[in-house]
Amino acid sequence: MKIIKSILMICGVLFIGSTLIFAVQQGHLSYEPEKHMTVDENSDKSVAEEYRITAIEIPADLNFAGEKVPQEDPEIMERIDREFLVNTYWQSNAVLLMKRANKYFPVIEPILAKNGIPDDFKYLAVAESGLQNVVSPAGAAGFWQIMKGTGKEYGLEVNSNVDERYHLGLATQLACEYLKKNKEKFGTWTLAAASYNAGAGAINRYMGIQQETDYYNLLLGEETGRYVFRILAIKEILTHPEKYGFELGKEDLYANVPTFDVKIDKPVEDFATFAKGYGINYKVLKRHNPWLREPHLNNASGKEYTIEIPEKGYYTVSR
């Protein structure tokens, strides 16, 4: 009896399986794609009809700080072309630079002018940091990427409690002094810019070995060799954004929040409490004073510091 049941069960399974296979085959045979698919008559339409990637037309009169660029040299033009292409077609970065420039150039420009430094050097700060308080792998910090030793050499306070390399005004003043010194040393603003990147000692060595005194005739390291060309491209794109396809209105740009100064010549035990006393919070206080590196101020010497406090009504702060 058990054998008969087993045989019947096997026959049933085989019958069901055959039925399913037949149904699947019939389904495939009767499938009509034109009844189930929507054919896009424009499926061969090229993306290029909406978006163009072209070579960049380089202006014929490039200069850095009034010093002519030798564009008649084909090798120089290839290097210029590279930086124009990289900085034009890295659109997201270019847009961010334009937005930040509107916020920070008004702080940098008058300090450069006061020190007799050409206005073009504001683009050096862009090339150095993207106008952000970043730290390099070598330890250079702030918008102007100042090394700890250089900061101290030029009179900035640099320690774990206060680091004035992050103070835009003081750091810009230091950069002016450094650039002015190297302009006197090397004779041109272009070499002064290159020395800001490589260091005066390195530029001296390159000049001595190669018996050349012109930036454009020197064979430099990769970063310094691209440095001035990158500044030139950034200057041109930020000066004439519409020429390179960027369309930003005034409302798209970042703007400075008005502030007033508070003088402090004593220690501050808790900056969170200090901030609340001015109707802001710790985050907003640090946003405007990134050179304050800890939640307190030691100030054992009684030095006078100037802290920026934003005017009321610009930030939403919980009470």
Side-chain angles (χ1 to χ4, degrees):
M1 191 67 177
K2 289 182 179 179
I3 294 173
I4 294 171
K5 286 183 178 180
S6 297
I7 292 171
L8 290 172
M9 187 177 295
I10 292 170
C11 290
V13 170
L14 290 172
F15 175 77
I16 294 170
S18 300
T19 304
L20 289 172
I21 292 169
F22 177 77
V24 170
Q25 289 176 336
Q26 287 295 102
H28 279 296
L29 291 172
S30 63
Y31 181 66
E32 299 179 34
E34 64 274 10
K35 292 183 180 179
H36 298 273
M37 294 177 62
T38 301
V39 178
D40 184 358
E41 295 178 356
N42 298 316
S43 59
D44 61 343
K45 184 177 180 180
S46 172
V47 173
E49 292 181 25
E50 304 296 334
Y51 181 66
R52 298 287 183 185
I53 299 173
T54 65
I56 304 296
E57 183 179 349
I58 308 297
D61 57 349
L62 291 178
N63 73 86
F64 176 73
E67 297 171 358
K68 187 178 182 298
V69 180
Q71 291 176 254
E72 64 280 1
D73 185 321
E75 189 265 347
I76 296 296
M77 281 304 295
E78 286 188 21
R79 293 161 71 184
I80 293 170
D81 190 51
R82 175 184 182 177
E83 301 308 322
F84 268 75
L85 286 167
V86 168
N87 289 281
T88 299
Y89 286 118
W90 188 7
Q91 294 98 330
S92 58
N93 186 65
V95 170
L96 284 170
L97 295 182
M98 292 170 198
K99 286 173 175 280
R100 293 178 192 141
N102 189 70
K103 181 177 182 179
Y104 295 114
F105 278 179
V107 179
I108 295 171
E109 288 165 347
I111 300 173
L112 295 177
K114 181 184 73 175
N115 285 274
I117 304 297
D119 192 62
D120 279 2
F121 277 93
K122 65 190 179 189
Y123 301 107
L124 184 147
V126 180
E128 283 288 332
S129 66
L131 299 178
Q132 299 178 96
N133 276 316
V134 294
V135 181
S136 77
F143 278 40
W144 290 92
Q145 289 291 276
I146 299 167
M147 294 295 291
K148 186 174 183 178
T150 305
K152 289 184 174 181
E153 178 187 346
Y154 281 80
L156 297 187
E157 183 176 351
V158 182
N159 55 56
S160 61
N161 189 233
V162 169
D163 191 338
E164 292 178 331
R165 293 179 296 169
Y166 294 97
H167 189 298
L168 182 53
L170 296 177
T172 303
Q173 179 61 38
L174 181 154
C176 288
E177 294 172 17
Y178 185 93
L179 290 166
K180 191 181 295 185
K181 176 181 176 181
N182 284 329
K183 166 62 162 59
E184 293 173 1
K185 182 179 183 67
F186 296 115
T188 68
W189 288 116
T190 305
L191 277 172
S195 71
Y196 195 93
N197 179 256
I203 296 298
N204 257 333
R205 287 194 298 274
Y206 284 122
M207 291 171 67
I209 292 168
Q210 299 175 36
Q211 300 178 30
E212 286 287 355
T213 57
D214 189 314
Y215 171 82
Y216 298 104
N217 289 330
L218 286 168
L219 179 61
L220 302 167
E222 171 75 7
E223 185 178 341
T224 310
R226 294 181 62 181
Y227 193 65
V228 171
F229 297 100
R230 185 178 178 212
I231 294 171
L232 288 167
I234 291 170
K235 170 189 170 183
E236 173 67 14
I237 295 164
L238 266 61
T239 304
H240 307 290
E242 66 291 337
K243 181 179 174 182
Y244 299 93
F246 296 97
E247 297 180 1
L248 280 77
K250 189 70 177 176
E251 69 281 0
D252 298 318
L253 306 176
Y254 301 149
N256 265 316
V257 170
T259 61
F260 60 92
D261 293 340
V262 172
K263 304 290 186 182
I264 297 291
D265 60 3
K266 295 180 175 61
V268 177
E269 185 176 335
D270 179 13
F271 272 126
T273 302
F274 176 90
K276 288 183 183 298
Y278 289 96
I280 57 175
N281 58 27
Y282 181 77
K283 182 183 78 169
V284 172
L285 178 73
K286 290 297 291 292
R287 177 184 176 92
H288 286 271
N289 302 275
W291 52 276
L292 296 171
R293 305 308 292 171
E294 294 181 310
H296 59 275
L297 180 64
N298 296 330
N299 201 11
S301 64
K303 176 180 175 180
E304 184 176 84
Y305 296 93
T306 301
I307 297 178
E308 288 188 6
I309 303 295
E311 297 283 357
K312 291 182 179 180
Y314 286 90
Y315 295 104
T316 301
V317 180
S318 59
R319 298 295 180 183

